[in-house]
């Protein structure tokens, strides 16, 4: 139950932040969202059995190692992309809060001509 | 022989990744990197041809990594469908890499690595039969794309790249959540073990989470808006590369999940056909409103994704085969058209329909390539588009979806109208007086590596433009021609032939596929047979 609540809270907060303007808030939102998904993966393996999987030979109480491997991989990937996003947030001159220019090359020139 | 080939399957993923990684650390000479990168891509292409030849009779190759027993090991599987797509993606990456080299965009030393890692990730996503590995390979495929987008982003603003990263990360997170849910209800993420699991409602919902995440990546309505924004901001060659690889890999996964997990259950195919029809109409209509060549083509791409998905939603052998043929055709033709747009943008400094005009009289080769691409996209014989559209419309009508078949024809007509819009404004008509100035400005910007919003001295531009007009002698007999009133008509800037070669190759493939459609249709039917009857696939993955 606490796991489900945790996933729900993290996902809700993550979605809220992702919908904000500004790259930093979006990044924080994604951090929360990926945490929610990681918890979901852990929960997918069943949390009732939690012993170390490879000791003692008795596997009846051993944790399922596969979701743990999933989470480990997912954490690494999410971390890498978070770094890419953080880089994108600080390089480039564009401000996220301004209106995006329309796609294409000289749209700006075209609108300037049209303006006067 | 066959077991050896099976053991070599991981090489399709590993070799490009290793070579690409080696480029990052080895202090190789720049030209050497380009040559080695191109050679690796050609090797991948040759390997894909071999795979297609082997799997063309319905053989399914499967390799369990590290020889763990089936069900525990991470499997690599190649059937007719994935081999065919691997071949087309290899063709596209090779040709696009050629364009990156000839257009000078591969000057940055990491481009070769990025393209190779991208090709490796795509090969992995096509060959893996494990949902979690699929997620990993999609990320492997996306990370170099972020690099390509940022490094080759032309306008110095990274808005497009930011949107691309955000959308894709959101979709990946959702996909991962779907994989977690599938594991929670089924205890496995091996596609073969999940065969037919869509009967169970909980599994069906979990798989639907995965499908909706993949639909975002495939730019299916209503999540298609990000595509035009990001592909419009990317460099043209990169847009061509992504159009062939990223969205089509997502479409491939939709094919695979629909076939293996849902087994074409009509309850799940009905929503897909509705969404696909809306996608193809929205894409076709939106592209008519665009006033620049590249966004117009990108919305045609959205429309094309709708076409392909109609094929999977019909889920008859004929429908699936038509979808596969359409996918192959669309990847080739879209690549060709986007590379032409890139050549025009690079030479004339603009892809705006109202800024560049009169290309027909000045650029015979470019015009020929464009006409082939445009007519093929619209679906006129003898090009590949005709074969693909004819097969698709026929299969849809036979599958009982007459209304959808009619809408397919309407969307094709809209595509023809969109192509005629480009033709009328860019190719026909008189050359604008300031096109020479635009082109001169583009050359100066490239020479001095100026960003698009940095000012350029107007006198220098005029001087450069005058130079270009003088440099090219008028062709023999031009003085006596009727168009004496336009001194620029036969002189001045031309698109260099080396920029046209990649799109020419793709256009030639489109013609070849149109004339030799029989072979492609047979391959597609084999691919469709593998999707309709998944027993061979399951046996190859689990029973070994």
């Amino acid at each position: 139950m606490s796991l489900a609540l945790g996933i729900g809270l993290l996902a809700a907060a993550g979605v809220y932040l992702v919908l904000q303007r500004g790259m930093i808030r979006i990044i924080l939102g994604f951090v929360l969202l990926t945490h929610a998904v990681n918890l979901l993966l852990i929960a997918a393996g069943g949390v009732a059995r939690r012993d170390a999987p490879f000791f003692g030979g008795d596997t009846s109480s051993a944790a399922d190692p596969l979701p743990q491997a999933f989470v480990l991989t997912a954490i690494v990937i999410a971390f890498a992309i978070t770094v890419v996003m953080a880089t994108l947030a600080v390089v480039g001159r564009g401000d996220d809060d301004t209106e995006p220019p329309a796609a294409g090359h000289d749209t700006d020139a075209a609108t300037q001509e049209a303006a006067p | 022989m066959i077991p050896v080939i099976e053991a070599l399957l991981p090489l399709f993923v590993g070799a490009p990744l290793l070579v690409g990684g080696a480029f990052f650390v080895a202090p190789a000479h720049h030209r050497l990197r380009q040559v080695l990168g191109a050679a690796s891509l050609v090797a991948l292409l040759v390997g894909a041809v071999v795979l297609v030849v082997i799997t063309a009779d319905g053989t399914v190759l499967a390799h369990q990594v590290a020889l763990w027993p089936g069900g525990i090991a991470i499997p690599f599987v190649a059937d007719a469908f994935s081999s065919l797509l691997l071949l087309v993606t290899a063709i596209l990456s090779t040709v696009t890499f050629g364009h990156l080299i000839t257009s000078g965009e591969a000057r940055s030393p990491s481009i070769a690595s990025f393209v190779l890692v991208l090709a490796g990730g795509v090969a992995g996503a096509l060959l893996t039969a494990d949902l979690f590995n699929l997620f990993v390979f999609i990320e492997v495929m996306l990370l170099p794309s972020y690099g390509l987008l940022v490094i080759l982003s032309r306008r110095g603003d990274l808005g497009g790249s930011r949107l691309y990263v955000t959308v894709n990360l959101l979709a990946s997170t959702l996909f991962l959540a779907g994989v977690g849910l599938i594991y929670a209800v089924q205890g496995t993420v091996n596609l073969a073990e999940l065969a037919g699991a869509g009967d169970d409602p909980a599994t069906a919902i979990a798989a639907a989470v995965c499908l909706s995440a993949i639909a975002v990546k495939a730019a299916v309505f209503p999540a298609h808006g990000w595509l035009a924004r990001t592909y419009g901001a990317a460099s043209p060659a990169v847009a061509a590369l992504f159009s062939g690889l990223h969205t089509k890999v997502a479409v491939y996964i939709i094919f695979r999940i629909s076939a293996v997990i849902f087994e074409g259950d009509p309850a799940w195919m009905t929503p897909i056909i509705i969404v696909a029809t809306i996608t193809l109409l929205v894409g076709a209509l939106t592209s008519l409103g665009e006033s620049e060549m590249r966004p117009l083509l990108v919305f045609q791409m959205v429309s094309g994704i709708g076409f392909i998905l109609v094929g999977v939603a019909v889920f008859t052998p004929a429908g699936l085969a038509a979808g596969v043929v359409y996918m192959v055709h669309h990847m080739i033709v879209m690549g060709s058209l986007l590379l032409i747009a890139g050549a025009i943008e690079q030479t004339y400094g603009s892809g705006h329909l109202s800024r560049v005009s009169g290309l027909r009289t000045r650029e015979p080769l470019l015009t020929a390539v464009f006409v082939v691409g445009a007519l093929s996209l619209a679906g006129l014989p003898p090009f590949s588009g005709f074969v693909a559209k004819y097969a698709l419309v026929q299969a849809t009508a036979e599958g009982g979806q007459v209304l959808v078949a009619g809408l397919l024809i309407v969307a094709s007509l809209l595509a023809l109208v969109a192509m005629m819009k480009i033709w009328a404004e860019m190719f026909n008509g008189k050359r604008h007086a300031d096109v020479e100035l635009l082109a001169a400005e583009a050359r100066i910007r490239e020479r001095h590596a100026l960003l698009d919003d940095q000012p350029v001295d107007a006198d220098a531009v005029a001087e450069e433009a005058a130079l270009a007009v003088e440099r090219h002698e008028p062709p023999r007999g031009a003085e006596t021609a009727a168009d004496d009133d336009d001194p620029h008509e036969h002189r001045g800037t031309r698109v260099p032939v080396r920029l046209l070669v990649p799109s020419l190759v793709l256009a030639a493939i489109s013609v070849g596929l149109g004339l030799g459609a029989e072979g492609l249709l047979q391959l597609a039917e084999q691919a469709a047979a593998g999707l309709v009857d998944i027993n061979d696939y399951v046996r190859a993955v689990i029973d070994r």
Side-chain angles (χ1 to χ4, degrees):
Chain A
M1 184 64 184
S2 57
L3 204 52
L5 274 179
I7 295 170
L9 275 177
L10 280 173
V15 168
Y16 174 77
L17 277 176
V18 166
L19 292 177
Q20 301 294 304
R21 300 190 103 172
M23 200 63 178
I24 296 296
R25 287 178 202 180
I26 294 179
I27 294 172
L28 290 176
F30 272 119
V31 170
L32 295 185
L33 262 187
T34 46
H35 273 68
V37 173
N38 288 343
L39 281 183
L40 178 71
L41 281 175
I42 288 287
V47 282
R49 306 167 294 151
R50 297 189 179 217
D51 282 354
F54 293 126
F55 281 106
D58 175 25
T59 52
S60 61
S61 65
D64 188 349
L66 203 52
Q68 301 184 356
F70 288 172
V71 168
L72 191 60
T73 317
I75 287 174
V76 174
I77 290 173
F79 180 65
I81 299 180
T82 309
V83 171
V84 171
M85 289 179 85
T87 316
L88 278 178
V90 292
V91 295
R93 299 154 300 120
D95 186 356
D96 300 305
D97 284 338
T98 55
E99 280 296 306
H105 271 272
D106 42 16
T107 319
D108 293 346
T111 45
Q112 276 163 18
E113 278 174 11
Chain B
M1 183 62 190
I2 296 290
V4 176
I5 298 282
E6 288 185 349
L8 291 179
L9 272 183
L11 213 57
F12 282 93
V13 188
L17 290 185
L18 277 177
V19 178
F23 283 174
F24 270 119
V25 285
H29 184 258
H30 186 52
R31 182 57 75 175
L32 184 68
R33 252 180 230 216
Q34 294 184 350
V35 172
L36 281 180
S40 317
L41 287 173
V42 171
L44 187 70
L45 184 62
V46 173
V49 171
V50 173
L51 265 194
V52 168
V53 170
I54 292 176
T55 55
D57 59 348
T59 313
V60 181
L61 301 177
H63 178 68
Q64 317 287 354
V65 173
L67 299 181
W68 285 89
I72 296 177
I74 295 168
F76 280 97
V77 189
D79 63 353
F81 186 29
S82 44
S83 312
L84 181 61
L85 273 193
L86 190 63
L87 175 62
V88 185
T89 51
I91 292 176
L92 263 180
S93 359
T94 313
V95 170
T96 323
F97 188 60
H99 186 94
L100 282 170
I101 292 177
T102 52
S103 70
E105 285 174 293
R107 273 173 306 195
S108 166
S110 41
I111 299 295
S113 313
F114 282 149
V115 174
L116 280 174
V117 175
L118 177 59
V122 169
L126 292 177
L127 292 180
T128 190
D130 179 289
L131 282 178
F132 188 79
N133 258 34
L134 186 62
F135 162 75
V136 173
F137 281 124
I138 289 175
E139 294 305 316
V140 169
M141 172 179 106
L142 284 173
L143 276 169
S145 334
Y146 303 152
L148 282 174
L149 264 179
V150 172
I151 290 183
L152 297 179
S153 131
R154 277 193 154 182
R155 292 178 295 147
D157 93 290
L158 297 173
S161 312
R162 285 178 186 166
L163 182 65
Y164 186 79
V165 178
T166 311
V167 169
N168 275 295
L169 183 54
L170 190 61
S172 295
T173 311
L174 192 60
F175 184 74
L176 187 59
V179 172
L181 291 175
I182 288 183
Y183 189 82
V185 287
Q186 286 286 326
T188 178
V189 287
N190 189 316
L191 261 182
E193 290 188 33
L194 288 171
D199 296 340
D200 170 34
T203 317
I205 290 170
V209 173
C210 286
L211 265 189
S212 25
I214 287 300
V216 174
K217 284 188 193 286
V220 175
F221 178 86
H224 66 285
W226 62 274
L227 196 74
R229 274 276 286 120
T230 54
Y231 284 26
S235 139
V238 170
L241 187 65
F242 288 7
S243 83
L245 268 52
H246 288 252
T247 45
K248 300 307 184 300
V249 164
V251 172
Y252 162 82
I253 298 166
I254 294 180
F255 266 83
R256 195 56 95 190
I257 290 184
S258 310
V260 176
I261 298 185
F262 291 120
E263 293 185 319
D265 184 352
W268 291 97
M269 294 307 122
T270 310
I272 294 186
I273 205 166
I274 294 171
V275 167
T277 314
I278 299 177
T279 306
L280 72 93
L281 285 178
V282 164
L285 286 171
T286 320
S287 87
L288 291 180
E290 289 291 334
S291 54
E292 274 179 75
M293 188 167 176
R294 206 131 56 92
L296 194 152
L297 290 175
V298 170
F299 277 114
Q300 282 299 324
M301 212 178 107
V302 173
S303 176
I305 287 162
F307 273 90
I308 304 169
L309 287 183
V310 165
V312 68
V314 172
F315 217 89
T316 56
L320 284 169
V324 174
V325 172
Y326 200 94
M327 179 138 78
V328 172
H329 144 75
H330 198 69
M331 288 162 86
I332 302 272
V333 168
M334 214 18 107
S336 170
L337 283 173
L338 281 169
L339 288 180
I340 294 174
I344 293 177
E345 273 178 37
Q346 186 164 15
T347 311
Y348 293 104
S350 168
H352 211 277
L353 294 186
S354 59
R355 300 299 291 271
V356 181
S357 68
L359 293 180
R360 178 175 58 89
T361 49
R362 307 181 52 81
E363 309 266 8
L365 187 59
L366 176 83
T367 311
V369 178
F370 172 76
V371 166
V372 170
L375 294 185
S376 188
L377 189 73
L380 292 175
F383 307 113
S384 59
F386 172 69
V387 181
K389 286 198 168 149
Y390 180 74
L392 193 61
V393 170
Q394 196 183 23
T396 313
E398 280 173 4
Q401 307 280 356
V402 184
L403 177 67
V404 176
L407 290 176
L408 290 177
I409 296 174
V410 170
S412 304
L413 288 177
L414 289 176
L416 187 61
V417 174
M419 292 299 113
M420 278 166 65
K421 184 175 170 179
I422 298 183
W423 173 261
E425 297 194 23
M426 258 187 160
F427 287 82
N428 234 341
K430 240 187 171 49
R431 194 170 168 78
H432 280 211
D434 66 340
V435 160
E436 206 57 64
L437 292 178
L438 269 179
E441 194 181 322
R443 278 196 297 274
I444 291 179
R445 281 188 197 284
E446 189 184 337
R447 198 178 307 142
H448 301 293
L450 292 176
L451 295 174
D452 279 9
D453 55 352
Q454 282 173 317
V456 176
D457 185 19
D459 293 340
V461 171
E463 207 171 298
E464 176 83 21
L467 267 180
V469 176
E470 276 171 19
R471 195 168 54 225
H472 293 271
E473 287 297 311
R476 200 167 297 166
E479 283 83 3
T480 57
D483 43 22
D484 277 342
D485 51 330
D486 185 359
H488 291 195
E489 189 64 30
H490 290 287
R491 286 178 285 179
T493 310
R494 297 284 166 85
V495 176
V497 175
R498 63 187 159 80
L499 273 187
L500 288 177
V501 172
S503 43
L504 187 66
V505 171
L506 291 178
I509 294 177
S510 169
V511 176
L513 289 181
L515 295 178
E518 202 60 32
L520 177 63
L521 276 173
Q522 272 172 7
L523 271 179
E525 276 161 16
Q526 194 63 57
L531 288 171
V532 172
D533 177 15
I534 53 171
N535 284 330
D536 283 347
Y537 186 84
V538 172
R539 201 175 308 124
V541 179
I542 302 181
D543 275 0
R544 220 175 284 203

